């Protein structure tokens, strides 16, 4: 079975633009979470979705939004990009949204904002 | 404020040696604590998960301990291998859906 897949792998944008990142969970997994990992730091939680509903939101501005589709894939949208949005964006899937459920991470999308 | 502090920030050891990584947290209430291994350019992979009642859990050469009273955890790596070179991240979950990640310990194993 394929693991969590993310696209694109790398992306370069300029300040003020918007970006859409995509994630396909492991087959059978109904929960998707998004994380931002700035170089040299641990991941920061952005969103969690389960069964197409938002279950949790981290401390990120409204420029960040996400959604989950009926096939459980997910998109993360970031508007009005800032230089500080440059980071590795990780998607993780799990079978449920339970706190003890193992999350499986994708390889990430490396976003560079110039 | 929920926080997870890891030490050391980085560590260099020789192949075959043992090492111990530390994690202190202030997350409350406590649900569980995970250790992840993150290879460069890849997503984290779960090594162990520990709940409140568990003191020790092993996964091959990795052994995690948890002291819920002092809110400390450690990850011990035995007989290190070159492939152990990675960042090791401690993640604590409390009562909400939001996990708190540490900054990670960067481990380099030299031949």
């Amino acid at each position: 079975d394929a693991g969590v897949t993310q696209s694109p792998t790398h992306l370069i944008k300029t300040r003020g633009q918007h970006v859409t990142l995509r994630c396909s969970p492991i087959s059978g997994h109904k929960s998707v979470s998004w994380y931002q990992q700035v170089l040299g730091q641990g991941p920061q939680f952005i969103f969690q979705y389960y069964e197409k509903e938002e279950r949790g939101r981290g401390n990120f501005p409204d420029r960040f939004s996400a959604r989950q589709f009926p096939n459980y894939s997910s998109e993360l949208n970031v508007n009005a990009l800032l230089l500080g949005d440059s980071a590795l964006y990780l998607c993780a899937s799990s079978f449920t949204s339970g706190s003890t459920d193992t999350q499986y991470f994708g390889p990430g999308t490396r976003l560079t904002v110039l | 404020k929920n926080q997870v502090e890891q030490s050391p920030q980085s560590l260099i050891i020789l192949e075959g040696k043992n090492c111990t990584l530390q994690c202190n947290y202030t997350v409350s209430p406590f649900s569980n604590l995970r250790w992840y291994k993150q290879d460069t350019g890849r997503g984290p992979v779960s090594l162990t998960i520990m709940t409140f009642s568990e003191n020790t859990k092993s996964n091959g050469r990795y052994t995690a301990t948890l002291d819920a009273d002092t809110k400390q955890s450690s990850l011990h790596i035995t007989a290190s291998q070159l492939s152990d070179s990675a960042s090791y991240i401690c993640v604590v979950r409390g009562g909400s859906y939001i996990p708190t990640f540490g900054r990670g310990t960067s481990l380099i194993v030299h031949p």
Side-chain angles (χ1 to χ4, degrees):
Chain A
D1 275 343
V4 177
T5 59
Q6 294 186 242
S7 63
T9 54
H10 295 83
L11 202 52
I12 299 175
K13 293 283 189 179
T14 56
R15 281 178 296 175
Q17 287 188 309
H18 75 272
V19 68
T20 297
L21 310 181
R22 295 177 176 82
C23 171
S24 292
I26 291 172
S27 178
H29 284 191
K30 300 179 180 180
S31 180
V32 169
S33 298
W34 286 96
Y35 298 87
Q36 180 195 66
Q37 186 174 24
V38 174
L39 196 62
Q41 297 188 19
Q44 297 255 324
F45 173 81
I46 310 175
F47 288 108
Q48 182 183 43
Y49 276 79
Y50 177 67
E51 291 277 19
K52 295 171 286 180
E53 297 208 352
E54 182 183 300
R55 284 300 184 96
R57 172 187 282 259
N59 188 24
F60 280 80
D62 292 343
R63 300 183 297 107
F64 289 77
S65 64
R67 55 180 175 168
Q68 187 177 31
F69 298 99
N71 66 354
Y72 303 112
S73 67
S74 178
E75 283 183 353
L76 175 70
N77 294 283
V78 187
N79 293 323
L81 285 167
L82 303 174
L83 295 179
D85 294 331
S86 294
L88 180 68
Y89 288 84
L90 294 164
C91 171
S93 78
S94 55
F95 185 66
T96 72
S97 60
S99 65
T100 57
D101 215 9
T102 298
Q103 290 190 325
Y104 295 85
F105 285 81
T109 292
R110 173 72 62 187
L111 172 65
T112 302
V113 182
L114 301 176
Chain B
K1 180 182 177 183
N2 290 335
Q3 286 188 311
V4 174
E5 301 288 341
Q6 291 188 242
S7 62
Q9 186 174 350
S10 61
L11 184 61
I12 301 174
I13 61 174
L14 291 176
E15 186 179 13
K17 298 295 186 183
N18 303 334
C19 67
T20 300
L21 315 180
Q22 300 289 344
C23 173
N24 297 335
Y25 61 93
T26 61
V27 177
S28 182
F30 174 82
S31 174
N32 61 77
L33 183 148
R34 279 186 191 270
W35 283 94
Y36 283 90
K37 177 187 179 188
Q38 185 175 23
D39 292 314
T40 301
R42 299 200 163 198
V45 174
S46 179
L47 295 174
T48 64
I49 177 174
M50 303 182 73
T51 56
F52 186 87
S53 59
E54 296 173 300
N55 299 120
T56 305
K57 185 165 282 189
S58 292
N59 177 4
R61 294 181 296 103
Y62 301 103
T63 299
T65 65
L66 174 65
D67 186 334
D69 292 330
T70 61
K71 298 187 178 181
Q72 295 180 324
S73 175
S74 66
L75 180 69
H76 186 74
I77 304 175
T78 305
S80 61
Q81 300 176 358
L82 298 180
S83 60
D84 292 331
S85 295
S87 179
Y88 292 83
I89 303 173
C90 175
V91 184
V92 181
R93 279 192 182 242
S96 72
Y97 289 101
I98 301 176
T100 304
F101 285 72
R103 290 191 167 202
T105 292
S106 176
L107 174 66
I108 298 174
V109 181
H110 278 314

